[in-house]
Amino acid sequence: MAAMDEDERVLGECSPAEIAAYLRDIGDEESAVRLERQAARPQGQGLGAYFGRDQYLYKGLVVGFVPSDVSSRGVIRDANAIEPETDLKGRRVKITLDQFFVQAYPGNGTHRILCEFAGQNQIADDTEELKFTLMVEAADGQPTGVVGKPIFMGLTIGDDGLNFRGQTVNVGNDTDDLILDALNGEAFKGGLTLATTLQPALKPFVGLATSVVKATIKRSRNKPVFKFDVGLDFNARNLSARLRRGSYVVVQCNDEEWDWSRFEFATETRRVIRKSDGRSLELNYFVIGIDDFAGEPAKPATKSRNRQRPSG
């Protein structure tokens, strides 16, 4: 496997000096100084205290699941401890971005964040590589203005489930006309609608989306912040996340032990909140929805569809 280009590293994989230099380049002198002071402390090579305030430096992730039939406050389950819905094999689904909550991102004021999502469409004995890209904006401690945004419409689920990937890029360049012109085009305004046969026109679109992201990353004031790769399958005996209809909460976090029982999901705002005080989870996270694609004929519900395995 080829080594990763330095431009492709997320910010948390960079050295303290590199992070501080980037923060200064985008005008965040206060955070740069705070990072340098923390890194200079003799008791630790890590940046734990700094991370507690600037969560965009976390490199780990956890994945929770919220059933589609929850009331106003829903239980969040570990996505590795739910029962898969095997009737999804071979079905067409829609994948939507239901929430992107920004607790902290590099820089000051309103952040511009480029989001790239990737997956595969299973058609007969072949697969189509998929990518969809969009630009969002939000200040620290706020959600982006995206609710139920279509990503992939009509994606066919293979027998092995679904692999869903994504990354975010902090866009610090205020005059990046190349990015804005591309993302304002018709091809990027709606979700990627898929057919039941291979689409020759899809490869150029995927290539364009890939080129936009690569061009963005190579600008000095733009930097990848978070990457995730989530496999959702039907094997209830392994440690992978399981595939069901509902919402997946992908949280950018550290490597500490995680307990989903401390949190619940507020359906009206699509936010993760703490049970102890009702405050919002103070981390960056996505909420990704998976449901049947409109027009797909319904299949009889299976027992696995309505039975949840108790977490733990």
Side-chain angles (χ1 to χ4, degrees), residues 14-244:
C14 299
S15 69
E18 290 173 316
I19 300 171
Y22 173 70
L23 292 171
R24 284 198 170 90
D25 193 30
I26 62 174
D28 193 351
E29 177 69 20
E30 179 183 349
S31 294
V33 171
R34 186 168 64 249
L35 167 62
E36 289 170 333
R37 288 175 177 171
Q38 175 63 24
R41 292 178 180 176
Q43 69 268 23
Q45 300 298 318
L47 302 171
Y50 181 76
F51 285 5
R53 185 167 177 178
D54 298 281
Q55 293 88 336
Y56 53 81
L57 292 176
Y58 287 134
K59 296 176 289 183
L61 65 89
V62 292
V63 183
F65 176 79
V66 181
S68 56
D69 58 352
V70 297
S71 59
S72 60
R73 292 290 173 91
V75 172
I76 306 175
R77 299 176 182 271
D78 184 343
N80 294 3
I82 60 176
E83 195 75 11
E85 291 183 332
T86 56
D87 70 307
L88 283 171
K89 292 182 180 181
R91 289 187 65 81
R92 302 179 74 200
V93 302
K94 63 178 180 180
I95 300 179
T96 55
L97 176 58
D98 293 342
Q99 179 67 279
F100 177 17
F101 186 83
V102 176
Q103 175 60 34
Y105 254 65
N108 302 305
T110 299
H111 310 291
R112 292 197 302 163
I113 305 168
L114 182 66
C115 302
E116 178 189 56
F117 301 102
Q120 288 185 329
N121 189 35
Q122 185 69 46
I123 299 178
D125 296 326
D126 207 343
T127 58
E128 290 179 316
E129 293 294 330
L130 309 175
K131 283 192 178 180
F132 186 73
T133 309
L134 70 155
M135 184 84 80
V136 297
E137 295 186 350
D140 286 345
Q142 297 293 326
T144 62
V146 176
V147 176
K149 174 73 174 179
I151 299 175
F152 301 134
M153 306 295 287
L155 181 146
T156 301
I157 301 294
D159 289 343
D160 293 327
L162 168 67
N163 181 245
F164 188 70
R165 308 182 303 279
Q167 71 168 322
T168 64
V169 180
N170 189 64
V171 179
N173 192 335
D174 294 331
T175 59
D176 213 329
D177 295 333
L178 171 66
I179 302 169
L180 295 178
D181 288 347
L183 294 180
N184 285 331
E186 291 298 323
F188 289 95
K189 287 186 177 179
L192 192 59
T193 301
L194 307 168
T196 56
T197 57
L198 291 175
Q199 302 173 83
L202 194 58
K203 285 187 177 180
F205 175 83
V206 170
L208 174 60
T210 302
S211 298
V212 168
V213 174
K214 286 186 176 295
T216 304
I217 292 173
K218 288 189 177 297
R219 306 293 180 99
S220 63
R221 302 185 72 209
N222 306 331
K223 190 69 179 176
V225 171
F226 180 49
K227 295 184 180 182
F228 66 87
D229 189 339
V230 178
L232 303 172
D233 63 32
F234 301 106
N235 190 342
R237 294 183 297 276
N238 63 19
L239 298 178
S240 63
R242 318 285 161 64
L243 181 58
R244 292 185 64 89

Side-chain angles (χ1 to χ4, degrees), residues 73 261-264 272-282:
R73 292 290 173 91
S261 67
R262 295 164 47 207
F263 305 97
E264 58 186 356
V272 179
I273 58 177
R274 298 191 304 222
K275 289 182 178 179
S276 60
D277 56 13
R279 297 181 63 183
S280 185
L281 171 64
E282 294 175 337

